[in-house]
Short mmCIF file of all heavy atoms in Angstrom, two decimals:
data_model
loop_
_atom_site.label_atom_id
_atom_site.label_comp_id
_atom_site.label_asym_id
_atom_site.label_seq_id
_atom_site.Cartn_x
_atom_site.Cartn_y
_atom_site.Cartn_z
N VAL A 160 156.09 196.96 100.02
CA VAL A 160 156.12 197.95 98.89
C VAL A 160 155.96 197.16 97.58
O VAL A 160 156.85 196.43 97.20
CB VAL A 160 157.46 198.73 98.93
CG1 VAL A 160 157.39 199.82 97.85
CG2 VAL A 160 157.66 199.34 100.31
N PRO A 197 154.92 202.69 69.55
CA PRO A 197 153.92 203.25 68.60
C PRO A 197 154.55 204.26 67.68
O PRO A 197 155.62 204.82 68.00
CB PRO A 197 152.92 203.89 69.56
CG PRO A 197 153.72 204.31 70.71
CD PRO A 197 154.76 203.19 70.89
N ASP A 267 149.96 226.39 72.75
CA ASP A 267 149.53 226.88 71.42
C ASP A 267 149.76 225.72 70.39
O ASP A 267 150.75 225.73 69.68
CB ASP A 267 150.31 228.14 71.02
CG ASP A 267 149.85 228.68 69.67
OD1 ASP A 267 148.74 228.33 69.25
OD2 ASP A 267 150.62 229.44 69.06
N SER A 279 143.93 206.14 84.30
CA SER A 279 142.74 206.66 85.07
C SER A 279 142.70 208.17 84.86
O SER A 279 143.73 208.77 84.47
CB SER A 279 142.84 206.33 86.54
OG SER A 279 144.02 206.89 87.11
N ASP A 283 142.89 212.41 78.10
CA ASP A 283 142.81 212.80 76.73
C ASP A 283 141.38 213.25 76.37
O ASP A 283 141.19 214.28 75.69
CB ASP A 283 143.26 211.68 75.80
CG ASP A 283 142.67 210.32 76.13
OD1 ASP A 283 142.03 210.20 77.19
OD2 ASP A 283 142.86 209.39 75.37
N ASN A 284 140.35 212.51 76.80
CA ASN A 284 138.97 212.92 76.50
C ASN A 284 138.58 214.21 77.16
O ASN A 284 137.90 215.03 76.52
CB ASN A 284 137.99 211.82 76.94
CG ASN A 284 138.07 210.61 76.01
OD1 ASN A 284 138.36 210.72 74.79
ND2 ASN A 284 137.78 209.43 76.51
N LEU A 296 148.90 208.25 72.92
CA LEU A 296 149.64 207.07 72.49
C LEU A 296 149.99 206.25 73.75
O LEU A 296 150.46 206.75 74.74
CB LEU A 296 150.94 207.49 71.80
CG LEU A 296 150.85 208.06 70.39
CD1 LEU A 296 152.32 208.33 69.90
CD2 LEU A 296 150.13 207.15 69.43
N TYR A 299 153.69 202.17 77.09
CA TYR A 299 154.13 201.06 77.94
C TYR A 299 152.91 200.33 78.53
O TYR A 299 151.77 200.84 78.49
CB TYR A 299 155.01 201.55 79.12
CG TYR A 299 154.26 202.33 80.14
CD1 TYR A 299 153.82 201.71 81.36
CD2 TYR A 299 154.01 203.68 80.02
CE1 TYR A 299 153.15 202.42 82.28
CE2 TYR A 299 153.36 204.38 81.02
CZ TYR A 299 152.91 203.77 82.15
OH TYR A 299 152.23 204.47 83.10
N LEU A 306 152.88 187.52 93.39
CA LEU A 306 153.37 187.82 94.76
C LEU A 306 153.84 186.48 95.33
O LEU A 306 153.09 185.52 95.41
CB LEU A 306 152.23 188.40 95.61
CG LEU A 306 152.60 189.07 96.94
CD1 LEU A 306 153.40 190.34 96.62
CD2 LEU A 306 151.36 189.41 97.72
N ALA A 310 157.30 187.94 100.62
CA ALA A 310 156.04 188.72 100.80
C ALA A 310 154.90 187.82 101.24
O ALA A 310 154.13 188.19 102.14
CB ALA A 310 155.70 189.43 99.51
N ASP A 344 147.86 191.49 110.05
CA ASP A 344 147.00 192.63 110.35
C ASP A 344 147.36 193.72 109.36
O ASP A 344 148.31 194.51 109.54
CB ASP A 344 147.27 193.07 111.77
CG ASP A 344 146.74 194.47 112.06
OD1 ASP A 344 145.78 194.90 111.41
OD2 ASP A 344 147.28 195.12 112.99
N LEU A 366 142.50 201.71 107.23
CA LEU A 366 142.83 202.32 105.91
C LEU A 366 142.81 203.79 106.06
O LEU A 366 141.87 204.37 106.56
CB LEU A 366 141.78 201.83 104.86
CG LEU A 366 142.05 202.27 103.42
CD1 LEU A 366 141.44 201.26 102.42
CD2 LEU A 366 141.47 203.64 103.09
N LEU A 378 154.11 208.98 102.92
CA LEU A 378 154.93 208.78 104.13
C LEU A 378 154.17 209.24 105.36
O LEU A 378 154.23 208.62 106.43
CB LEU A 378 156.25 209.50 104.00
CG LEU A 378 157.21 208.98 102.90
CD1 LEU A 378 158.41 209.94 102.76
CD2 LEU A 378 157.73 207.60 103.30
N ALA A 387 149.08 204.13 115.12
CA ALA A 387 147.80 203.55 115.48
C ALA A 387 147.92 202.44 116.48
O ALA A 387 148.84 201.61 116.39
CB ALA A 387 147.07 203.05 114.20
#
Side-chain angles (χ1 to χ4, degrees):
V160 185
D267 183 19
S279 60
D283 48 351
N284 286 330
L296 288 183
Y299 71 96
L306 195 67
D344 164 26
L366 186 150
L378 292 171

